[in-house]
Amino acid sequence: VEVIAGNANANTITVNQGDLLAGGTVSGGDNTDTLVLAAADTTLDLSSTTLSSVEVILGNSNANTITVNQGDLASAGTVDGGAQTDTLALVASETTLDLSSTALSSVEVILGNSNANTITVNQADLLSGGSVDGAEDTDTLALAAGDAALDLSSTTLTSVEVISGNAVANTITVNQADLLSGGTVDGGGATDTLALVSGETALDLSS
């Protein structure tokens, strides 16, 4: 079955990974439609599946890894990891994961790939205690356009070489560990502030 199609109602379509053929499509139809990972599975890999009119991608009570193309993320859509520690991963072939119009819920880890990735977030995408892992190459964590604050005080960064603001006056709050040796913080336009998290005493920018 190459195409799984909903109808004009608000549909919930529950799948195992094996239900998704390479090159296949899931079309929600009209209304607000949800693609759900079956309760026993832990992995939902959409790298070879086209989503159309699917507004919500939902994990389950396991620790899920949900792998997406940018095109899988509907504007104003949602990715909800469900319970446990869940990962939203960018497919291996792409370089950009723009979450500026996607609401994340219960997604504790945002993961890039072996390319030079740009991961664009709103503050709300970053769960307390969560992490952003750029993986290999030179990766950028960018603040979504229009937002003024990027507070990384409760977010762990791994392999993120560039932290980037936007065109408004940004305040970027960091731990020392957020600043990789040889890395860059770019405020963007306007007058921008790099702030040290509460509780720390040293901000060493020498490297």
Side-chain angles (χ1 to χ4, degrees):
V1 175
E2 287 75 19
V3 180
I4 302 171
N7 55 34
N9 300 315
N11 305 134
T12 298
I13 301 170
T14 303
V15 296
N16 297 290
Q17 184 64 47
D19 296 325
L20 304 176
L21 286 187
T25 300
V26 178
S27 177
D30 297 328
N31 225 310
T32 299
D33 304 298
T34 302
L35 180 67
V36 182
L37 180 62
D41 284 13
T42 58
T43 301
L44 182 60
D45 186 345
L46 301 171
S47 58
S48 63
T49 301
T50 299
L51 298 191
S52 175
S53 300
V54 173
E55 287 77 17
V56 181
I57 302 170
L58 177 63
N60 54 38
S61 61
N62 301 314
N64 305 135
T65 297
I66 300 171
T67 303
V68 296
N69 297 288
Q70 184 66 47
D72 294 326
L73 304 176
S75 180
T78 300
V79 178
D80 186 340
Q84 292 258 16
T85 299
D86 303 297
T87 300
L88 180 66
L90 179 63
V91 299
S93 60
E94 297 198 1
T95 59
T96 301
L97 182 62
D98 187 346
L99 302 171
S100 58
S101 64
T102 301
L104 298 191
S105 177
S106 300
V107 173
E108 287 79 14
V109 180
I110 301 170
L111 177 63
N113 55 37
S114 61
N115 301 314
N117 305 135
T118 298
I119 300 171
T120 303
V121 296
N122 297 289
Q123 183 65 47
D125 294 326
L126 305 176
L127 283 189
S128 178
S131 64
V132 178
D133 186 343
E136 301 171 35
D137 219 305
T138 300
D139 304 298
T140 300
L141 180 66
L143 181 60
D147 282 16
L150 181 62
D151 186 345
L152 302 171
S153 58
S154 64
T155 302
T156 299
L157 299 191
T158 303
S159 299
V160 174
E161 287 78 13
V162 181
I163 302 169
S164 178
N166 55 38
V168 304
N170 304 135
T171 297
I172 300 172
T173 304
V174 296
N175 298 286
Q176 183 66 47
D178 294 326
L179 304 177
L180 285 189
S181 178
T184 301
V185 179
D186 183 350
T191 301
D192 304 296
T193 302
L194 180 66
L196 181 63
V197 300
S198 174
E200 294 198 7
T201 58
L203 184 60
D204 185 350
L205 303 173
S206 61
S207 62

